[in-house]
Amino acid sequence: MTDTKDDETEKIKIEITKEVKETSKNIKWKKIVKILAIMFMIYATMWLLVTIYLYHYAFLCSWHFPDSKARIVMIGDPQIEGDGRIRREGRYGQLSVAINDYYLRHIVDNIVKYTQPTHIFVLGDLFSSQYISEDEFQKRLLRYQWIFHSARHIPMYNITGNHDVGYANEITMYRIERFERAFGKVNDKVIIEGHIFGIVNSLNLDKSREPILEKNAWEHINLVRNESTATKMPWILVTHIPLHKDYLLESDDPFQNIWASERYSELCAEREYTKLDDHGHYIVQNMLSPGTTNKILQEQPPPTIIFNGHDHDGCIYRHNSLSIEYTIRSIMGDFGGYVGLFEIISNRTTTTTTTTTSSDENDSQDKYEYWYTPCKFYKMLWVTVWIVCTVILLLLIVVFVLIFSLVFLTR
């Protein structure tokens, strides 16, 4: 009897020991799960905050003058790609093209929703290649319209770029006509808040392969000048290729030193690079020639402001006491999804020390103030990181659910 009782006692001890170990093990797993849950909540909270910002980032891009009637969005070089990249890269290229379209549309949707612009200018290089077929052109046109769908009710002006019609050595009437059928005149003008915006095909200003196109561009500039003189309205040049400038020269202008160097350090990074064929036509041109630039700036009246794109980096540059040039940084993912917010307001008496200028060449001319604000998104690299983090979050949710089920629901 004694031996039997001892055996039973020993069994009870063993069972108690097992239960204690199992309980201890469960407590340890519960602690691990709690720690993982806390880490998961921190990660998920950070992801949520970043996601909210990414989806509503333009909320932080505001107009300086709340009562401005001219709230103009300037967009540089979207360069949407298509069949060429897909042929080179296959499925990856197809995915990249699709993601880029969503990236651009997201920026446009945000800007339209939160800034409610009165006008939009796209400063050339709408597409990535001037060599595409008519069929591919029409496909990209449909995608372009999809990207800017939320802006369909806003007056929009598309400027021609070298990747739309080619540089001066290869431009053809066919490409010009194709562009104009889809996007409007390559030389045009529009009056906004007492200013004449002269849209000019700058690809032909320096000796074009098609002399008639060069003639048309210069005649249009003179037409805008004459109208500016007759109406006493300032004129603004809107084009694709930037004016000539030498960034290496020292400037005593505090505007240059503060705005172009310190506040926007990534701007004004590109240096002049041009290449001509045997006939003197430009094969590559990232700035207009000094002669063409001087002609634009020195003939009266000069443009009060110049807007263009092309060099991707962007720049803010004062040429003289009357003309300021804004080269808009590219909206492409590699350059941070920039757009420029430009405002005009009239008959204000306040003075500022910003990019504000006034047009007072004539006593009868209204005085204006201008304000330019770059609105930055994120480079495609960081958007890709966010996508990866989203995938990781989804995987963590699956893993956490599995661990929770094993620890708490299988007892």
Side-chain angles (χ1 to χ4, degrees), residues 166-185:
Y167 282 111
N169 74 308
E170 60 181 358
I171 200 165
T172 64
M173 290 302 299
Y174 166 74
R175 289 177 185 163
I176 291 291
E177 291 168 358
R178 181 172 71 174
F179 182 91
E180 289 190 329
R181 285 195 302 271
F183 300 110
K185 296 178 181 179

Side-chain angles (χ1 to χ4, degrees), residues 336-376:
Y338 271 77
V339 303
L341 306 181
F342 176 64
E343 303 167 68
I344 305 173
I345 196 161
S346 61
N347 298 321
R348 293 180 68 91
T349 57
T350 58
T351 58
T352 64
T353 57
T354 63
T355 57
T356 303
T357 61
S358 64
S359 298
D360 54 0
E361 299 171 6
N362 193 293
D363 291 338
S364 63
Q365 190 173 13
D366 290 336
K367 291 185 177 180
Y368 298 91
E369 289 186 58
Y370 310 100
W371 197 280
Y372 173 79
T373 306
C375 181
K376 180 183 179 181

Side-chain angles (χ1 to χ4, degrees), residues 49 204 208 259 269 281 291 327 338 357 391:
L49 292 174
N204 298 282
S208 175
W259 285 85
H281 302 132
T327 300
Y338 271 77
T357 61
V391 173

Side-chain angles (χ1 to χ4, degrees), residues 222-278:
N222 292 331
L223 176 69
V224 173
R225 284 189 199 277
N226 292 337
E227 186 172 346
S228 175
T229 300
T231 60
K232 308 301 180 185
M233 288 192 292
W235 73 285
I236 293 174
L237 175 62
V238 185
T239 186
H240 181 62
I241 300 180
L243 275 60
H244 185 272
K245 55 187 74 71
D246 190 345
Y247 299 123
L248 301 179
L249 293 177
E250 292 290 334
S251 174
D252 295 328
D253 187 346
F255 177 94
Q256 299 286 44
N257 297 333
I258 293 173
W259 285 85
S261 300
E262 295 177 12
R263 185 166 180 179
Y264 305 116
S265 59
E266 65 273 279
L267 301 185
C268 302
E270 190 162 7
R271 299 298 177 257
E272 181 183 12
Y273 176 72
T274 57
K275 186 177 180 181
L276 285 75
D277 64 14
D278 295 336

